[in-house]
Amino acid sequence: MRLSRYFLPVLKENPSEAQIVSHRLMLRAGMIKQASAGIYSWLPLGFKVLRKLENIIHEEQARAGHIAIQMPIIQSADLWRESGRYDDYGQEMLRMKDRHDRDMLFTPTAEELVTDIFRGHVNSYKDLPLTLYQIQWKFRDEIRPRFGVMRGREFYMKDGYNFDLTKEDALHAYNRHLVTYLRTYERMGLQAIPMRADSGPIGGDNTHEFLVLADTGESEVFYDSAVTDLTFGDRQIDYDSREQCQAILEEFTSKYARTDETHDEALFNQIPEERRRVARGIEVGQIFYFGTKYSEAMGATVQGPDGKPTPVHMGSHGIGVSRLIGAIIEASHDDKGIIWPEGVTPFHCGIVNLKQGDGEADAACEKLYGALTALGLEPLYDDRNERAGGKFATMDLIGLPWRITVGPRGLKNGVVELTSRRTGESEELSPEAAVTKIAEIYQLAHGA
């Protein structure tokens, strides 16, 4: 993409309504524009990152054998009355009537809808296990939407639902989801710690939230600092292996890590004092096992091995895709702007032409642009007739991990400058060597 042809409405001043870093930088970098309280239009740069996160989630869900579907945004209230949740959910649910005076609602979550799909098509235990998921817009009518996409009313979410014959099978699905989420977050450049949490209106006994540590987090968290030393890395997992998935769950959840809702001071005090931590965390996902709560209420049964109807055991698993962008920025920025991890950056690198209109500089930039594009990479070429300082400020603000700077002086010596946004360190390389290095960086990042 050439910046002269791109829609990137950056702001020079900090928006007065933005209270936290991610909201401020997303507005300044032209990623979002508020449509109404807690509801945003996603502009090209923000939409591009949203799609990057979505693709990573799809890849990791497919790796675990989970199947994508798409359910409607508007649901019938009848399903929610069947489960008993319609009156219990509270004012966060946006209720409405259609032209025939039927009660409808804007989806806050989809346990009822997916259970209805399951009971209409699955009759035998031989069709289990089954996990269905979607990535879809949701709406919860927050009383005080704030912090931009971190606590909006409309949000983009991955929600998955497992159907299993027994509790043991469903707990394996729970463990499998925990593994997929650990992989997903690490690919996004995040350390998301699974913490024992409260199930809230979803229900169920087993539940973990995944939290990213940040000063602006909405939850107070208590944890053993040893959990921050754990990484999933590039280990290969057999998702059908109960032993492997259970071992990873134990590895990542055996040390103390809880939100304030489930905090146990006596257990916390058993941790060596030098490892006790109290901080703030941003929730970016949650997994639940809730047994037969919905299947019994809604008649979702299968014929068991004994020929008798058996209510299936279920769980649900969510990732807040849109709020993840805010969490990544909260965890990765400096006073100049965003610093995208390589796995989620909207463009792989920026090309800055220091002297637009200079024949040699223009030709070198075009050659770099073509070489990177030919390798399947997406560069953002700042070909505007602007001052160098303005170009650098824009690149720093939007946070691309790498920048190639091209100018007549360097070209006389056969070099361009490659700069890391995270460290600020630069090195002079031939244009060909700069392209090779960028390609190697992203091969490594994708492989991780």
Side-chain angles (χ1 to χ4, degrees):
M1 180 57 66
R2 298 167 194 273
L3 198 45
S4 62
R5 301 178 189 173
Y6 198 52
F7 181 55
L8 186 68
V10 299
L11 305 176
K12 292 183 179 179
E13 303 298 326
N14 286 326
S16 58
E17 72 270 27
Q19 297 173 295
I20 62 171
V21 168
S22 58
H23 190 194
R24 183 167 69 246
L25 290 177
M26 289 183 76
L27 289 170
R28 283 199 59 212
M31 296 179 68
I32 55 173
K33 184 182 186 302
Q34 182 170 305
S36 61
I39 301 174
Y40 293 87
S41 296
W42 288 78
L43 307 183
L45 195 74
F47 184 65
K48 202 165 173 56
V49 179
L50 202 62
R51 284 287 175 261
K52 287 281 182 87
L53 301 186
E54 185 178 353
N55 288 340
I56 290 172
I57 292 167
H58 278 306
E59 288 170 8
E60 293 304 327
Q61 290 299 300
R63 192 192 296 265
H66 305 159
I67 303 165
I69 61 173
Q70 190 78 82
M71 292 181 277
I73 298 174
I74 304 297
Q75 297 186 35
S76 167
D78 291 344
L79 286 173
W80 286 66
R81 290 193 176 106
E82 214 178 321
S83 72
R85 280 208 302 175
Y86 185 68
D87 295 321
D88 294 344
Y89 204 87
Q91 291 186 322
E92 284 189 354
M93 182 189 287
L94 183 63
R95 295 166 168 86
M96 66 199 84
K97 289 183 180 289
D98 67 11
R99 68 194 301 165
H100 302 291
D101 206 36
R102 292 176 294 216
D103 290 323
M104 311 294 285
L105 58 99
F106 196 119
T107 298
T109 183
E111 282 81 7
E112 285 82 0
L113 198 57
V114 77
T115 303
D116 184 53
I117 292 169
F118 176 88
R119 70 183 178 182
H121 297 284
V122 181
N123 302 305
S124 170
Y125 76 95
K126 295 177 182 178
D127 296 321
L128 303 179
L130 178 66
T131 294
L132 304 174
Y133 79 95
Q134 66 170 351
I135 301 178
Q136 175 67 287
W137 290 101
K138 307 285 194 305
F139 188 92
R140 293 177 190 165
D141 201 2
E142 293 277 356
I143 190 169
R144 284 186 298 275
R146 59 194 191 279
F147 304 154
V149 300
M150 297 289 289
R151 190 176 282 278
R153 293 193 294 163
E154 185 184 61
F155 54 96
Y156 204 46
M157 182 178 172
K158 174 262 168 182
D159 48 319
Y161 307 91
N162 66 283
F163 301 88
D164 291 277
L165 183 63
T166 66
K167 179 177 181 178
E168 292 71 25
D169 294 342
L171 289 176
H172 172 55
Y174 184 95
N175 297 350
R176 191 173 67 239
H177 276 86
L178 181 131
V179 175
T180 68
Y181 281 18
L182 290 171
R183 283 187 59 95
T184 296
Y185 294 128
E186 283 198 15
R187 282 187 61 186
M188 294 174 180
L190 284 172
Q191 181 174 53
I193 302 169
M195 298 193 178
R196 178 69 63 181
D198 182 65
S199 62
I202 303 292
D205 299 325
N206 292 66
T207 180
H208 282 86
E209 285 179 352
F210 291 79
L211 288 104
V212 174
L213 300 176
D215 293 340
T216 51
E218 71 269 62
S219 302
E220 187 174 30
V221 297
F222 303 80
Y223 64 97
D224 181 340
S225 65
V227 301
T228 59
D229 297 328
L230 298 172
T231 56
F232 193 88
D234 58 358
R235 64 180 95 178
Q236 297 301 308
I237 298 298
D238 177 1
Y239 284 99
D240 291 330
S241 169
R242 299 190 179 207
E243 294 75 16
Q244 266 192 304
C245 292
Q246 177 67 27
I248 291 170
L249 174 117
E250 290 172 3
E251 177 186 350
F252 280 84
T253 64
S254 59
K255 294 180 172 59
Y256 192 92
R258 297 194 180 196
T259 62
D260 50 1
E261 295 169 321
T262 59
H263 175 55
D264 185 321
E265 193 68 25
L267 285 176
F268 186 59
N269 289 334
Q270 293 176 18
I271 303 166
E273 188 173 358
E274 67 275 11
R275 297 206 322 249
R276 285 180 222 152
R277 299 286 187 275
V278 181
R280 308 294 299 180
I282 299 168
E283 182 200 340
V284 292
Q286 191 163 2
I287 57 176
F288 304 85
Y289 161 71
F290 43 69
T292 57
K293 174 179 176 175
Y294 297 94
S295 56
E296 286 186 342
M298 298 182 68
T301 63
V302 295
Q303 185 181 51
D306 58 2
K308 296 178 181 178
T310 303
V312 292
H313 287 253
M314 292 175 59
S316 66
H317 322 89
I319 292 179
V321 186
S322 50
R323 91 175 343 236
L324 259 174
I325 297 180
I328 291 169
I329 294 171
E330 292 291 333
S332 186
H333 69 272
D334 61 16
D335 57 359
K336 295 178 182 177
I338 301 164
I339 305 173
W340 291 115
E342 276 87 353
V344 300
T345 179
F347 295 95
H348 294 106
C349 72
I351 301 171
V352 172
N353 188 341
L354 292 180
K355 196 169 183 182
Q356 199 71 37
D358 177 87
E360 192 177 359
D362 290 356
C365 287
E366 290 292 344
K367 191 173 180 181
L368 282 166
Y369 184 84
L372 290 163
T373 303
L375 291 171
L377 297 169
E378 290 185 281
L380 179 63
Y381 172 22
D382 192 343
D383 59 342
R384 300 172 301 162
N385 191 21
E386 297 278 349
R387 295 192 315 172
K391 291 187 174 187
F392 289 144
T394 297
M395 285 294 174
D396 285 341
L397 174 61
I398 66 175
L400 307 186
W402 297 92
R403 185 185 75 224
I404 301 174
T405 305
V406 181
R409 185 181 301 174
L411 290 174
K412 285 179 182 177
N413 299 318
V415 297
V416 295
E417 187 178 68
L418 179 64
T419 303
S420 164
R421 174 69 180 87
R422 187 168 297 280
T423 67
E425 294 177 358
S426 297
E427 60 178 320
E428 291 187 337
L429 299 167
S430 69
E432 295 78 14
V435 169
T436 299
K437 183 160 184 177
I438 292 290
E440 288 173 350
I441 286 166
Y442 284 101
Q443 281 181 341
L444 291 171
H446 185 72

